[in-house]
Amino acid sequence: MESVQAIKQRFEIIGNDPKLNRAIEKAIQVAPTDISVLVTGESGVGKESIPKIIHSLSHRKHGKYIAVNCGAIPEGTIDSELFGHEKGSFTGATGARDGYFEVADGGTIFLDEVGELPLTTQVRLLRVLENGEFIKVGSSQVQKTNVRIVAATNVNMFDAIEKGKFREDLYYRLSTVDINLPPLRERKDDIHLLFRKFAADFSQKYKMPPIKLDDNAVDLLLKYRWSGNIRQLRNIAEQISVLETNRNISYQTLYAYLPQEGSNLPAVIKDKKAESDFSNEREILYKVLFDMKSDLNDLKKLTLELMQNGSSKVQEANKNLIQKIYGQKEDTEIDFEEPRMGVIPTQNNSQQEEFEDEDDDQNYLFAEAVEEEETLRLDAKEIELIKKALDRNKGKRKAAADELGISERTLYRKIKQFDL
């Protein structure tokens, strides 16, 4: 069995980080078996090296090694690419075609970005892992294949399973052994080593003197987040090697090449806005509606009590409720006339005079205590709130959506749903 150091030299892997060494050790240990392996880690950490190590140290090393980027193949053709198809099985299928699982029989298939596979393809892949069987597109004949599958992904598989984007049974079949590669920011001692290696490579490639970092530039290099990992580091080294005439790189020069947006932030939270989906927005809307309903019920009860008795206790409760509803301060005085039976008191004389002018025969404003059946249809409340928000914001959907506490996309969907 080859040592970790020998494997690094053979596959040009740079670094001495303990987590990196452990990942290589696991690859060496599982290589002689046919066990399925899942390589995980962020984009740009070098996951493609692990399946090459596994294949080269296995008994399949003389067989074919095929690397497939699952995220780069359109959903409509990926089944044909992996499993093949028969002539006439779909438009444009002018002849039969062998898929990767048939071509790589006896070898190894590396499924990169396996988390991007469609659910229908995941079912087919699960059958290959369980029985070594597959069926070509447009065929009814079951075929056998003997391949070693190594998969890789930068997707959080447990989140994908929870959201229904990846089958849980397939995950456990693929990840019999899980090999995780650490991000570059966790390999501080390897960053400058990798940069110097890239600088030497580009010096030879472009026939120019190698670039060198001063102490301050090295310090910046180590403190930078490197969200793109080794791929980003290599890209920065190549840019500086080509563009800078002064081969001694200072802090300011290196800083100019490093993207600053989000570089000092904690780990990136993916698609947080996407997670604020319609169900969460609907829950917020329901809460607002139920709060409004509760306030209206309290107001109705208070009105009925005022109509039945004019106690000072009820007046005080009414005063507090009105202050709550209209946002008045505690020191604001509100006049309450002694209510008469069946009469709603008014807050000032001017309002009462307006009613008296309209009808000389009426001296009081009477209200019938009619208990109306409340509508509990949420769609009616939603329509009412949406109309009010659009009217208040003069038809501007973005402003109306902000006021309602929902996304503009959700508001647009509601407008189409209710034909507003």
Side-chain angles (χ1 to χ4, degrees):
M1 183 180 295
E2 294 188 51
S3 67
V4 173
Q5 196 60 36
I7 290 297
K8 286 182 184 178
Q9 292 176 355
R10 182 174 167 185
F11 290 92
E12 298 184 346
I13 299 175
I14 307 297
N16 295 305
D17 182 78
K19 293 181 181 178
L20 174 65
N21 291 340
R22 178 55 185 154
I24 297 174
E25 285 176 1
K26 290 174 74 173
I28 295 172
Q29 289 173 334
V30 301
T33 70
D34 279 337
I35 202 167
S36 298
V37 177
L38 180 64
V39 186
T40 58
E42 296 180 6
S43 178
V45 295
K47 295 187 292 293
E48 64 280 355
S49 298
I50 299 298
K52 291 178 181 178
I53 294 172
I54 293 173
H55 176 71
S56 66
L57 299 180
S58 71
H59 62 87
R60 300 173 180 270
K61 61 184 177 182
H62 299 298
K64 284 187 175 294
Y65 172 80
I66 298 178
V68 184
N69 189 331
C70 302
I73 304 176
E75 183 174 343
T77 61
I78 192 165
D79 285 351
S80 172
E81 292 288 330
L82 294 177
F83 308 105
H85 65 258
E86 296 291 351
K87 180 179 179 179
S89 57
F90 55 85
T91 304
T94 56
R97 180 184 183 280
D98 295 337
Y100 296 136
F101 280 98
E102 187 173 356
V103 174
D105 190 20
T108 303
I109 286 185
F110 170 43
L111 299 177
D112 195 11
E113 303 301 341
V114 72
E116 304 296 331
L117 281 177
L119 288 172
T120 54
T121 307
Q122 292 178 31
V123 177
R124 288 173 172 263
L125 180 59
L126 183 61
R127 184 174 184 181
V128 175
L129 285 164
E130 290 179 341
N131 307 318
E133 297 177 347
F134 70 94
I135 301 176
K136 286 186 175 183
V137 176
S139 173
S140 58
Q141 181 180 356
V142 177
Q143 294 183 233
K144 284 281 188 179
T145 184
N146 177 23
V147 294
R148 168 78 170 280
I149 296 178
V150 181
T153 183
N154 60 2
V155 173
N156 186 319
M157 298 301 281
F158 292 107
D159 285 349
I161 291 170
E162 186 177 347
K163 294 176 182 177
K165 296 181 179 179
F166 201 85
R167 294 178 61 95
E168 187 174 10
D169 49 1
L170 177 58
Y171 167 74
Y172 288 113
R173 288 308 299 262
L174 286 172
S175 62
T176 308
V177 173
D178 191 341
I179 298 178
N180 180 262
L181 289 175
L184 187 59
R185 60 183 169 274
E186 295 181 7
R187 299 169 52 190
K188 295 291 186 182
D189 294 337
D190 294 341
I191 295 176
H192 191 205
L193 194 63
L194 283 163
F195 187 89
R196 286 191 297 172
K197 172 64 167 62
F198 293 144
D201 290 345
F202 294 128
S203 171
Q204 185 177 3
K205 179 179 179 179
Y206 298 116
K207 304 187 186 310
M208 301 172 69
I211 56 174
K212 295 180 181 179
L213 303 178
D214 65 20
D215 292 341
N216 291 333
V218 171
D219 187 56
L220 174 61
L221 193 76
L222 301 182
K223 289 181 179 179
Y224 191 70
R225 183 167 179 77
W226 299 112
S227 56
N229 295 293
I230 298 173
R231 187 181 292 122
Q232 183 185 14
L233 180 66
R234 186 179 186 278
N235 180 272
I236 295 295
E238 187 170 14
Q239 287 185 55
I240 298 175
S241 296
V242 173
L243 299 178
E244 289 300 319
T245 55
N246 185 355
R247 311 311 283 177
N248 293 316
I249 307 303
S250 65
Y251 177 97
Q252 290 76 12
T253 302
L254 177 60
Y255 184 86
Y257 285 91
L258 298 179
Q260 297 306 310
E261 183 178 0
S263 60
N264 295 320
L265 295 178
V268 177
I269 300 175
K270 296 182 178 179
D271 298 329
K272 187 167 184 178
K273 178 61 181 177
E275 293 177 2
S276 300
D277 54 10
F278 173 69
S279 61
N280 292 335
E281 293 168 349
R282 185 171 58 185
E283 288 177 6
I284 295 173
L285 184 59
Y286 285 172
K287 185 178 184 303
V288 172
L289 292 174
F290 288 137
D291 288 344
M292 290 175 59
K293 179 175 177 289
S294 176
D295 289 341
L296 287 173
N297 286 337
D298 290 343
L299 189 58
K300 285 174 59 179
K301 290 177 181 178
L302 185 58
T303 303
L304 289 173
E305 289 182 10
L306 279 171
M307 293 167 61
Q308 293 170 2
N309 60 78
S311 67
S312 60
K313 182 177 180 181
V314 174
Q315 288 187 6
E316 182 64 25
N318 187 20
K319 178 179 179 181
N320 292 337
L321 181 60
I322 292 177
Q323 287 176 346
K324 173 183 175 184
I325 295 174
Y326 292 98
Q328 295 186 13
K329 298 180 180 178
E330 294 182 358
D331 57 356
T332 304
E333 294 186 1
I334 301 177
D335 294 332
F336 291 95
E337 297 177 0
E338 185 68 18
R340 303 184 185 184
M341 191 65 180
V343 180
I344 297 178
T346 57
Q347 291 188 11
N348 53 60
N349 294 331
S350 60
Q351 291 179 343
Q352 183 67 27
E353 290 172 358
E354 290 177 8
F355 288 111
E356 290 176 352
D357 290 341
E358 291 177 2
D359 191 349
D360 293 337
D361 296 333
Q362 294 182 352
N363 296 323
Y364 301 99
L365 180 64
F366 291 91
E368 297 180 359
V370 179
E371 185 68 27
E372 296 181 356
E373 182 180 357
E374 293 187 23
T375 176
L376 295 179
R377 291 184 59 84
L378 291 174
D379 53 357
K381 294 293 185 182
E382 285 185 285
I383 292 172
E384 181 182 351
L385 285 175
I386 291 171
K387 283 183 177 180
K388 285 183 178 180
L390 288 171
D391 290 342
R392 289 176 59 172
N393 292 279
K394 300 180 179 179
K396 295 180 180 178
R397 287 201 297 266
K398 188 176 188 310
D402 291 339
E403 184 173 352
L404 289 169
I406 61 176
S407 66
E408 187 176 0
R409 184 176 62 183
T410 300
L411 177 60
Y412 180 75
R413 185 167 63 249
K414 287 291 183 183
I415 291 173
K416 291 189 66 178
Q417 177 184 345
F418 297 129
D419 195 23
L420 299 179

